[in-house]
Coordinates of all heavy atoms in Angstrom, one line a residue:
L20 N 126.9 78.9 95.3 CA 126.9 80.3 94.8 C 126.4 80.4 93.4 O 126.9 79.7 92.5 CB 128.3 80.9 95.0 CG 128.5 82.3 94.4 CD1 127.6 83.3 95.0 CD2 130.0 82.7 94.4
I21 N 125.5 81.3 93.1 CA 125.1 81.6 91.7 C 125.5 83.0 91.5 O 125.1 83.9 92.3 CB 123.6 81.4 91.5 CG1 123.2 80.0 91.6 CG2 123.2 81.9 90.1 CD1 121.7 79.7 91.5
F22 N 126.2 83.3 90.4 CA 126.7 84.6 90.1 C 126.2 84.8 88.6 O 126.4 84.1 87.7 CB 128.2 84.6 90.0 CG 128.8 85.6 91.0 CD1 129.8 85.1 91.9 CD2 128.6 86.9 91.0 CE1 130.4 86.0 92.8 CE2 129.2 87.8 91.9 CZ 130.1 87.3 92.8
K23 N 125.4 85.9 88.4 CA 125.1 86.3 87.1 C 124.9 87.8 87.0 O 124.6 88.5 88.0 CB 123.8 85.5 86.6 CG 122.6 85.8 87.4 CD 121.4 84.9 86.8 CE 120.2 85.1 87.6 NZ 119.1 84.3 87.1
V24 N 125.0 88.3 85.8 CA 124.9 89.7 85.5 C 123.5 90.2 86.0 O 122.5 89.6 85.7 CB 125.1 90.1 84.1 CG1 124.8 91.6 83.8 CG2 126.5 89.7 83.6
H25 N 123.5 91.3 86.7 CA 122.2 91.8 87.3 C 121.4 92.4 86.1 O 121.8 93.2 85.3 CB 122.5 92.8 88.3 CG 121.3 93.5 88.9 ND1 121.0 94.8 88.9 CD2 120.2 92.9 89.5 CE1 119.9 95.1 89.4 NE2 119.3 94.0 89.8
E26 N 120.1 92.0 86.1 CA 119.2 92.6 85.1 C 118.2 93.6 85.8 O 117.7 93.3 86.9 CB 118.3 91.5 84.5 CG 119.2 90.5 83.7 CD 118.3 89.4 83.1 OE1 117.1 89.4 83.3 OE2 118.9 88.5 82.4
L27 N 118.1 94.7 85.3 CA 117.3 95.8 85.9 C 115.8 95.4 85.8 O 115.3 94.8 84.8 CB 117.5 97.1 85.1 CG 118.8 97.8 85.3 CD1 118.9 99.0 84.4 CD2 119.1 98.1 86.7
S28 N 115.1 95.7 86.9 CA 113.6 95.5 86.9 C 112.9 96.8 86.7 O 113.5 97.9 87.1 CB 113.2 94.9 88.3 OG 113.8 93.6 88.4
A29 N 111.7 96.8 86.2 CA 110.9 98.0 86.1 C 110.7 98.6 87.5 O 110.4 97.9 88.4 CB 109.6 97.7 85.4
N30 N 110.8 99.9 87.6 CA 110.6 100.5 89.0 C 109.2 100.9 89.3 O 108.9 101.5 90.3 CB 111.6 101.7 89.1 CG 111.1 102.9 88.2 OD1 110.3 102.7 87.4 ND2 111.7 104.0 88.5
S31 N 108.3 100.6 88.4 CA 106.9 100.9 88.6 C 106.0 99.7 88.1 O 106.3 99.2 87.0 CB 106.5 102.2 87.8 OG 105.1 102.5 88.0
L32 N 105.1 99.2 88.9 CA 104.3 98.1 88.5 C 103.0 98.0 89.2 O 102.6 98.9 90.0 CB 105.1 96.8 88.9 CG 105.4 96.5 90.4 CD1 105.7 95.0 90.6 CD2 106.5 97.3 90.9
S33 N 102.1 97.1 88.7 CA 100.7 97.0 89.2 C 100.6 95.8 90.1 O 101.4 94.9 90.1 CB 99.8 96.8 88.0 OG 100.2 95.7 87.2
L34 N 99.6 95.9 91.0 CA 99.5 94.9 92.1 C 98.0 94.6 92.3 O 97.2 95.4 92.2 CB 100.0 95.6 93.4 CG 100.1 94.7 94.7 CD1 101.1 93.6 94.6 CD2 100.4 95.6 95.9
T35 N 97.8 93.3 92.6 CA 96.5 92.8 92.9 C 96.5 91.9 94.1 O 97.6 91.5 94.6 CB 95.8 92.1 91.7 OG1 94.5 91.8 92.0 CG2 96.5 90.8 91.4
S36 N 95.3 91.6 94.7 CA 95.3 90.7 95.8 C 95.3 89.3 95.4 O 94.7 88.9 94.4 CB 94.0 91.0 96.6 OG 94.0 92.3 97.1
G37 N 96.0 88.4 96.2 CA 96.0 87.0 95.9 C 94.9 86.3 96.7 O 94.3 86.8 97.6
F38 N 94.7 85.0 96.3 CA 93.7 84.2 97.0 C 94.3 83.5 98.2 O 93.6 83.1 99.1 CB 93.1 83.2 96.0 CG 92.3 83.9 94.9 CD1 92.8 84.0 93.6 CD2 91.0 84.3 95.1 CE1 92.1 84.6 92.6 CE2 90.3 84.9 94.1 CZ 90.8 85.1 92.9
Q39 N 95.6 83.2 98.1 CA 96.2 82.5 99.2 C 96.2 83.2 100.5 O 96.4 84.4 100.6 CB 97.7 82.2 98.8 CG 98.5 81.5 99.9 CD 100.0 81.4 99.5 OE1 100.3 81.6 98.3 NE2 100.8 81.1 100.5
I40 N 95.8 82.5 101.6 CA 95.8 83.1 102.9 C 96.9 82.5 103.7 O 97.1 81.3 103.8 CB 94.5 82.7 103.7 CG1 93.2 83.3 102.9 CG2 94.5 83.3 105.1 CD1 93.2 84.8 102.8
K41 N 97.8 83.3 104.2 CA 99.0 82.9 104.9 C 98.6 82.6 106.4 O 97.8 83.4 107.0 CB 100.1 83.8 104.8 CG 100.7 83.9 103.4 CD 102.1 84.6 103.4 CE 102.7 84.5 102.0 NZ 104.1 84.9 102.0
T42 N 99.1 81.6 107.0 CA 98.8 81.2 108.4 C 100.1 81.2 109.2 O 101.2 80.8 108.6 CB 98.1 79.9 108.5 OG1 98.8 78.9 107.8 CG2 96.7 80.0 107.8
P43 N 100.0 81.5 110.5 CA 101.2 81.4 111.3 C 101.8 80.0 111.3 O 101.1 79.0 111.2 CB 100.7 81.7 112.7 CG 99.5 82.5 112.4 CD 98.9 81.9 111.2

């Protein structure tokens, strides 16, 4: 178990496409 104080994350962010292709 890891317990630590929760840190807030920004609720708005930018996104881009990755190069990694996921396979089944």
Side-chain angles (χ1 to χ4, degrees):
L20 171 64
I21 295 176
F22 243 123
K23 60 182 180 181
V24 175
H25 178 236
E26 298 180 1
L27 293 176
S28 298
N30 68 349
S31 180
L32 64 162
S33 57
L34 182 69
T35 189
S36 295
F38 294 102
Q39 176 185 343
I40 300 298
K41 293 198 171 186
T42 55

